[in-house]
């Protein structure tokens, strides 16, 4: 249950950087503007990631999973 959903192919996002994270909450920056922070929670929708489905740790790394892509730290 630690892996990203295997029933569909989800790609790593190249548009967002994961800056900070807590269980169920994360702060991301666009790769083109690293001084801008956006807070996201499960259920939010964000460009390129889609609807955020999970914010969790997998093998010691934080992962923000969206319906279309993911980012990790």
């Amino acid at each position: 249950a630690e892996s990203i959903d295997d029933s569909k192919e989800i790609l790593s996002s190249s548009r967002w950087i994961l800056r900070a994270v807590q269980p169920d909450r994360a702060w991301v920056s666009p790769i083109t503007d690293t001084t801008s922070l956006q807070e996201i929670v499960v259920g939010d929708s964000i460009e390129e990631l889609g609807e955020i489905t999970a914010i969790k740790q997998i093998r010691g790394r934080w992962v923000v999973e969206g319906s279309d892509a993911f980012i990790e730290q």
Side-chain angles (χ1 to χ4, degrees), residues 7-44:
S7 65
K8 60 183 176 182
E9 185 173 335
I10 299 177
L11 304 174
S12 177
S13 172
S14 59
R15 180 171 294 204
W16 297 99
I17 299 170
L18 186 56
R19 293 292 180 185
V21 66
Q22 297 176 346
D24 301 320
R25 184 171 311 278
W27 291 264
V28 297
S29 293
I31 200 149
T32 57
D33 180 10
T34 56
T35 62
S36 172
L37 283 178
Q38 181 173 343
E39 182 179 356
I40 56 175
V41 296
V42 172
D44 285 352

